[in-house]
Every structure is written in C-alpha cells, then in structure tokens.
Amino acid sequence: MEPLAKALSPYFRVIAPDLPGFGESEKPRQALDLASLANSLAAWLKACGVERAILIGNSFGCQVLAEFAVRHPQFVDRLVLQGPTVDPEARSLPVQIWRVLVNGRIERSGMGRIARIDYAKAGIATAVATMRVLIRDKIEKKLPLIAAPTLVVRGTRDPVVPQQWAERAAGLLPAGQLVLVDGGAHTLNYTYPDGMAAAILPFLLAEPERLHRGAQE
C-alpha cells in the first residue's frame, strides 16, 4: 500500500498496518482466519487512538475489510474495496491461480518481485492457509450487511475481478458505487497509485450525506 499511501498523504493522515502474519508483523503459529484478522485490525486502531477511519483494501484485503465492517462498524467512516475477491463465479483455487498468473503478465514491471518478497515474509504455510481462507470466504453474503458508503474500484484490465463481478459487488452494497481505472490491472495500489488516488479522491472527500444520497439515486 506504500505507493498509494504516498499519493494520498497530501490529503489525509495515512497509516498502513501489517496485520499479524504479514509484512513486518509478528508471525502467529497458525495463520489467522478472517474474524481474527478483523479483530486484530480493530485492536490496532484502538492502540493507535483511531476512533473512526476511511479504510482501503486490495484483493484479499477487501475480504478482511468486509469482515471488519460487519463486526466493527463503529470504526468505519467509509470503505474502498479495490479488486475485491473472490468472484463467486470462479470460487476455485486453480482458476484463481490462473487469473493471478495472467495478471502478472499484465502488471507493470517489478510487481512480481514485490509479490515474491511479500510471500517470503509471510512464509509458505501462511500463504497457503490464507489462500484457503480466501477461496472459502463468501464476501457476497457480507456486502449487503455493510452500512458504510463503499466504493468498489476495478482496473479495466483486471483478470482477477471481472467487470460483471465488480458491478454485482457494488450493487450488493447498500451504499455502494463503482469506479473504473482505465488500463489498470489487479494491484492498482502498487502499479497505478496516482491514477487510483485520482479516481477515489472525490469519494474520499465527499460529505457522507452526499454519498448516501448518490447511492440511493
């Protein structure tokens, strides 16, 4: 999230956590499930003195945020779900792996190296366990329960999140909207941070009443 965090830093105080098991955080003996990851995020926000926040997630991070928004709605000002997984029409590990491989050919150079570093930091066991959680989670059942204004973001060349699923995800949200980033693939936060920032800033800066009214219209 660092490139996107830098792009948004002129407008907001931006903080980016490494949840347990990922990045530079401590590694639990067993990979955490979505409920535990959501609860860990809530505990981290409390420790940081953050009572309410705009939350942005990419890919599996969208599943964490959906779980978080259902369990801890008091923390959520609004959400941005960029490249939400998993497409319910492709809830299959082989299909998801194939789509990720296709995405790797589309992404700008350097993304593969970043992904390898991230997987290495997490470890094979955590990466495999997280993939199982990702596949089994039915995010489409949680989206209708999210009251906060939520923006779904899709790169127009994203093979992991087809346009049909992005539209459905936005439609399932009570206060959902969809925005497209032309030419982007699955990891806009890394490879198209300025384009993504420009696409989401109107949503981030809008008054809450306007967001709810726009969703109803």
Side-chain angles (χ1 to χ4, degrees):
M1 279 292 181
E2 185 176 351
L4 180 62
K6 289 181 178 179
L8 294 175
S9 61
Y11 306 93
F12 304 97
R13 176 196 175 205
V14 183
I15 49 179
D18 282 334
L19 292 178
F22 301 93
E24 304 300 330
S25 70
E26 293 184 1
K27 306 299 185 287
R29 291 186 178 180
Q30 293 184 338
L32 301 185
D33 59 14
L34 280 170
S36 298
L37 289 170
N39 292 337
S40 295
L41 179 56
W44 179 80
L45 287 171
K46 288 180 182 178
C48 291
V50 177
E51 296 181 355
R52 198 165 176 83
I54 298 170
L55 298 124
I56 302 175
N58 162 255
S59 197
F60 177 65
C62 297
Q63 292 174 278
V64 176
L65 290 188
E67 183 79 20
F68 177 84
V70 173
R71 289 177 174 271
H72 305 282
Q74 70 276 13
F75 283 106
V76 184
D77 179 272
R78 64 198 75 180
L79 294 175
V80 175
L81 305 180
Q82 189 261 298
T85 57
V86 171
D87 172 11
E89 300 302 318
R91 189 169 280 116
S92 159
L93 185 56
V95 172
Q96 291 302 312
I97 291 174
W98 173 250
R99 288 184 176 184
V100 169
L101 291 174
V102 172
N103 184 72
R105 298 173 185 172
I106 298 172
E107 295 279 19
R108 291 178 177 176
S109 60
M111 194 59 232
R113 181 181 61 83
I114 293 171
R116 287 191 294 272
I117 291 172
D118 287 344
Y119 286 132
K121 287 181 177 179
I124 296 297
T126 295
V128 171
T130 299
M131 184 62 72
R132 289 174 178 164
V133 171
L134 179 148
I135 292 296
R136 293 170 182 168
D137 177 57
K138 295 185 177 180
I139 189 174
E140 68 273 16
K141 292 187 176 182
K142 298 172 190 175
L143 296 179
L145 305 178
I146 298 174
T150 303
L151 184 67
V152 176
V153 184
R154 178 183 182 266
T156 57
R157 301 177 68 204
D158 184 353
V160 181
V161 178
Q163 179 69 15
Q164 183 178 6
W165 162 232
E167 292 175 358
R168 181 185 172 195
L172 287 171
L173 290 153
Q177 300 178 45
L178 173 64
V179 66
L180 304 179
V181 177
D182 189 45
H186 189 58
T187 52
L188 298 173
N189 54 312
Y190 273 110
T191 56
Y192 276 72
D194 294 330
M196 180 175 171
I200 68 176
L201 272 172
F203 173 83
L204 301 183
L205 296 171
E207 294 296 328
E209 295 80 5
R210 182 179 175 186
L211 295 176
H212 284 287
R213 186 169 61 250
Q216 291 171 357
E217 293 173 355

